[in-house]
Amino acid sequence: MATRTAAQHRADVRAAYDAYLATCPARQLLDRISDKWVSLVLNALADGPLRYRDLNRIIAGVSQKMLTQTLRTLERDGLLTRTVTPSVPVRVDYRLTPLGHSLLPVMASIKAWAECHIEEVQTARMDYDRGLAAEPPVPGP
Amino acid sequence: MATRTAAQHRADVRAAYDAYLATCPARQLLDRISDKWVSLVLNALADGPLRYRDLNRIIAGVSQKMLTQTLRTLERDGLLTRTVTPSVPVRVDYRLTPLGHSLLPVMASIKAWAECHIEEVQTARMDYDRGLAAEPPVPGP
DNA sequence: CAGCATCCTAGTAGATACTG
DNA sequence: CAGTATCTACTAGGATGCTG
C-alpha cells in the first residue's frame, strides 16, 4: 500500500505540474511558435497578406491539411485574420494582425541567436559524438 | 503516368523543402528550445549548477527518462556541462556553458512577449470559439 | 544517486479522396 | 480555389524494473 501511495503521490505531483505548465504563458507561446509550420507562415505573411494558394506555394513542404490547420489555429489565437471574398472561385486572404506583427521581433531574436551561434552548437555536437566513439564502455586490451 | 509524375514531383519538392528546413538555423533552435523540458532545465540552471536529483525535484513533472534525455541533448549541443564526481554514491552536476547562458536572453524575450500578450491571445480564442458556436453550418428554422 | 533497457500507448503528421 | 474527411504510420513520451 505504501508503494501504491507513493506512486499515486508522484502521479499527483506530475498532474499538478502539468496543469501549472498549461497555464504558463511562456509555455503556451513556445508551444505555438515551435510548431513546424507556424514560424514559416508568420514569416511568409510578414510583408503583407497572401492567399491560401500563395502560402501553399511559398511554404513548399506543407500539406493542405497542415496549412489549413496552422492557419485556423493562428486565426483562433488572433494572430492573423482570414478574409473570404465570395467570388467564383472563392478567394481567401490571410493577413497578420497587429498582435501577429508584434510577434515578429521575437522570432527575429530567435533567428538572430541561431544564425550567430548555431555553428558552435554543431561543433559541440561533432565533438560530443567523436568523444563517444573514442570512449567505448569497455576498453579493449 | 502524368498523375504519377505529378505526385512524384510533389514528393520531391516536399523532401527538398524538408532538407532545407533541417539545415535552417532558426528551425534547429526552435526545435531545441521548444522541447517541453528544455526551457525548464535552462531556467533551473540559470542561477548556478545543480545536481541531477535537484533538477528532478525542481522540475516536478519530469520523468527520469525525459530529464536524462534532455540533459544529454543539451550537453551534446554544448549548452551545458556534465560533471561526474566519482564518490560513493556518485554525484553529477550540471552547469550552463557560456553558450547556454547566451540563450537566456532569448528565452527572456519569449517570456516577455508571452506575459505581455497572452491575455489578448486568450481573449481572441474565446471570441473565436463563441463565434463558432453562434454560427452553425446549417441555421435552424 | 544517477542512470539505462524495455515495453506500451496516445497523439499527430501525411497520403488520399471527395466537396461547396 | 479552398478546403473537409478518413485512414494509416510514426514516434514522442510515460511506466516499470534493473544496474554501476
Side-chain angles (χ1 to χ4, degrees):
Chain A
M1 271 226 202
T3 305
R4 179 114 170 65
T5 306
Q8 186 62 44
H9 179 68
R10 279 192 175 279
D12 288 348
V13 169
R14 196 146 301 178
Y17 200 77
D18 275 2
Y20 156 69
L21 284 184
T23 68
C24 171
R27 181 74 259 142
Q28 290 183 59
L29 175 60
L30 268 172
D31 283 344
R32 189 56 72 242
I33 64 175
S34 68
D35 186 277
K36 186 174 179 182
W37 306 114
V38 164
S39 53
L40 296 164
V41 168
L42 255 34
N43 193 53
L45 292 176
D47 298 327
L50 288 173
R51 299 179 60 175
Y52 182 91
R53 69 180 314 282
D54 294 325
L55 283 168
N56 206 350
R57 179 173 298 168
I58 293 172
I59 308 172
V62 75
S63 64
Q64 287 143 337
K65 178 188 170 182
M66 290 317 297
L67 181 54
T68 301
Q69 196 178 100
T70 302
L71 291 168
R72 283 287 139 57
T73 307
L74 293 175
E75 185 195 2
R76 188 170 104 99
D77 285 356
L79 298 173
L80 55 77
T81 58
R82 177 173 178 270
T83 311
V84 180
T85 307
S87 54
V88 180
V90 69
R91 166 189 180 130
V92 181
D93 287 87
Y94 292 92
R95 179 195 297 267
L96 286 188
T97 62
L99 188 60
H101 266 289
S102 77
L103 206 47
L104 295 177
V106 178
M107 304 302 289
S109 83
I110 292 170
K111 194 181 169 194
W113 191 97
E115 292 181 342
C116 191
H117 296 289
I118 203 70
E119 282 187 29
E120 291 178 64
V121 171
Q122 278 162 354
T123 304
R125 274 182 203 167
M126 283 172 52
D127 289 352
Y128 185 88
D129 292 346
R130 270 195 304 111
L132 280 190
E135 247 180 272
V138 181
Chain B
M1 263 217 212
T3 306
R4 179 115 171 66
T5 306
Q8 187 60 46
H9 179 69
R10 282 195 171 277
D12 287 349
V13 169
R14 195 147 300 177
Y17 200 77
D18 276 4
Y20 157 70
L21 284 184
T23 69
C24 171
R27 180 75 259 141
Q28 290 183 60
L29 175 60
L30 268 173
D31 282 345
R32 189 56 72 241
I33 64 176
S34 68
D35 186 277
K36 185 174 179 181
W37 306 114
V38 164
S39 54
L40 296 163
V41 168
L42 255 33
N43 193 54
L45 292 176
D47 298 328
L50 287 173
R51 297 181 59 176
Y52 182 91
R53 71 181 309 283
D54 294 325
L55 282 168
N56 206 351
R57 179 172 299 167
I58 294 172
I59 307 172
V62 74
S63 64
Q64 286 141 338
K65 178 186 171 182
M66 289 318 296
L67 181 53
T68 302
Q69 196 178 102
T70 302
L71 291 168
R72 282 291 162 350
T73 306
L74 293 176
E75 186 196 1
R76 188 171 104 99
D77 286 354
L79 297 173
L80 55 77
T81 58
R82 177 173 178 270
T83 309
V84 181
T85 307
S87 53
V88 180
V90 69
R91 165 188 180 131
V92 180
D93 287 88
Y94 292 92
R95 177 195 298 267
L96 287 188
T97 63
L99 188 60
H101 266 289
S102 77
L103 207 45
L104 294 178
V106 177
M107 304 302 289
S109 82
I110 292 170
K111 194 181 169 195
W113 190 96
E115 292 180 343
C116 192
H117 296 288
I118 203 70
E119 282 187 28
E120 292 177 64
V121 170
Q122 279 162 354
T123 304
R125 275 181 202 167
M126 284 171 53
D127 289 352
Y128 185 88
D129 292 347
R130 269 194 305 112
L132 280 190
E135 246 180 274
V138 182

